[in-house]
Amino acid sequence: MKHNSDLHCHTNASDGSLSPAELVQKAAEEGITTIAITDHDTVSGVREALAAGAKYGVRVIPGVEISIDFQPGTMHVCGYFIDIDNPELCRGLEFVQEARRNRNPQIIQKLNTLGLAITMEEVQAVAGPDQVGRPHFAKVLLQKGYVENAKEAFTKYLAKGMPGYVDKRRLPRDEAIRMIQTAGGVAVMAHPIQLALENWEAYRQLFLELKAAGLAGIEAFNSYQSEEENQKFYQLAQELDMIVTAGSDFHGETKPTVQLGEFGDVVPIEIEKLLAELQRERRR
Ligand code: AMP
Ligand code: FE
Ligand code: FE
Ligand code: ZN
């Protein structure tokens, strides 16, 4: 398998373990020529990554992964080639970041009620100056010996429906897609299997609605899906004439089983399609 690009990567601006420059350097060392920076609800790592990209000869696509209001599963939409200084994008992301800041102390309270001694200061220390996400809570629970590994922190406490879970306000999907387009970018559905819909027809219907709202592509290949599911989403995307992307959802040590550049062999053609879609959007 050829590993030469990765359109879904996290840095320590959100819940990845590497700094943006470290991530880009790693890509260069591993022969990965193109990466997109897709931190959760923030673009604060993009500038550093772009500078590192120039230094190491890696093409860096400015991106973001936005958390969307959705049931029954999780909806994350990636925006690619965005203008990170666009005021509307910045306002939207600020709304989601504020929602996180409100949620985090509530998670602490719930965990304390469950008898787990954990403080917001400890979680913030693990997260660093940037945005706090649930993996940071998981890391503190692990360090304190409350769980055997990060996965267990989610299955026992932090996952949706578990006793330490607190929902946060999120952006409506059409608004998020519009925001990405307003910032000059293309919107792509991340790890679609996490939408947790009942059957393929439900996915088809949802993608049709979202396509009408401006969603351009589907991350058909990713580390959450089986090979069979990847193929199924690939077919679905082609059937609906949507762009196919691939990304590992690399988080560094936060998700040690995921390799940077996994699925990179299906990406190159699709980057050109993303750019073509951008040009179409701009002509409209
Ligand atoms: P947050 O953005 O704070 O809601 O946290 C979401 C992040 O937590 C995801 O992007 C993953 O990195 C991680 N995550 C969510 N669910 C799980 C799970 N079941 N197991 C491991 N990590 C998870
Ligand atoms: Fe994450
Ligand atoms: Fe995600
Ligand atoms: Zn991600």
Side-chain angles (χ1 to χ4, degrees):
M1 201 189 267
K2 200 168 75 216
H3 298 303
N4 58 10
S5 49
D6 197 329
L7 290 195
H8 194 149
C9 305
H10 293 263
T11 76
N12 62 7
S14 66
D15 56 358
S17 65
L18 298 182
S19 72
E22 286 165 346
L23 175 69
V24 174
Q25 186 180 358
K26 180 178 168 66
E29 284 165 4
E30 298 183 2
I32 297 166
T33 51
T34 300
I35 61 168
I37 306 298
T38 53
D39 278 308
H40 298 287
D41 307 313
T42 179
V43 291
S44 69
V46 170
R47 222 176 290 281
E48 179 183 319
L50 286 170
K55 178 173 165 196
Y56 295 106
V58 175
R59 179 188 194 181
V60 173
I61 300 174
V64 66
E65 180 180 19
I66 302 180
S67 317
I68 314 273
D69 187 23
F70 184 73
Q71 295 293 338
T74 295
M75 186 187 285
H76 288 173
V77 170
C78 286
Y80 296 113
F81 300 105
I82 45 171
D83 167 13
I84 58 171
D85 295 317
N86 178 270
E88 192 170 323
L89 177 76
C90 294
R91 269 197 303 277
L93 295 180
E94 178 49 41
F95 168 88
V96 191
Q97 288 161 14
E98 162 98 34
R100 276 179 190 277
R101 287 193 293 271
N102 291 337
R103 174 194 67 169
N104 294 334
Q106 297 177 36
I107 295 181
I108 292 289
Q109 261 184 6
K110 281 203 163 182
L111 294 175
N112 290 165
T113 308
L114 293 165
L116 309 172
I118 170 175
T119 67
M120 198 57 226
E121 288 68 33
E122 289 165 336
V123 177
Q124 193 68 60
V126 161
D130 289 305
Q131 182 158 263
V132 173
R134 280 178 288 158
H136 302 121
F137 290 85
K139 190 162 182 194
V140 176
L141 291 177
L142 177 61
Q143 283 172 352
K144 297 198 140 186
Y146 289 125
V147 290
E148 303 266 317
N149 52 55
K151 189 86 208 153
E152 190 189 329
F154 275 91
T155 51
K156 267 178 125 165
Y157 302 114
L158 299 168
K160 209 171 196 172
M162 292 301 120
Y165 181 76
V166 179
D167 208 4
K168 60 179 186 297
R169 287 190 312 155
R170 293 159 201 267
L171 289 174
R173 58 209 205 190
D174 289 14
E175 199 175 305
I177 292 171
R178 207 168 40 242
M179 197 169 92
I180 289 168
Q181 290 182 329
T182 304
V186 219
V188 173
M189 179 63 65
H191 41 63
I193 198 70
Q194 292 209 332
L195 296 164
L197 299 182
E198 268 172 20
N199 52 47
W200 294 111
E201 186 48 32
Y203 280 100
R204 231 178 77 84
Q205 282 308 320
L206 178 65
F207 292 152
L208 273 174
E209 282 170 31
L210 291 170
K211 188 184 175 190
L215 186 76
I218 296 173
E219 186 184 74
F221 297 83
N222 63 73
S223 56
Y224 297 89
Q225 297 169 187
S226 66
E227 181 51 34
E228 220 177 13
E229 287 164 343
N230 287 347
Q231 289 300 332
K232 188 74 198 176
F233 282 113
Y234 177 60
Q235 282 167 19
L236 208 46
Q238 290 199 313
E239 204 183 305
L240 301 175
D241 194 24
M242 295 176 80
I243 297 164
V244 177
T245 72
S248 68
D249 206 2
F250 182 76
H251 281 68
E253 282 312 303
T254 313
K255 282 187 193 172
T257 56
V258 176
Q259 302 301 311
L260 186 65
E262 269 182 272
F263 315 103
D265 55 337
V266 284
V267 177
I269 342 153
E270 307 294 348
I271 294 173
E272 301 317 314
K273 286 196 192 166
L274 288 172
L275 286 167
E277 172 62 24
L278 261 185
Q279 277 163 1
R280 264 199 300 280
E281 271 179 23
R282 280 173 193 171
R283 276 199 300 269
R284 262 179 225 142

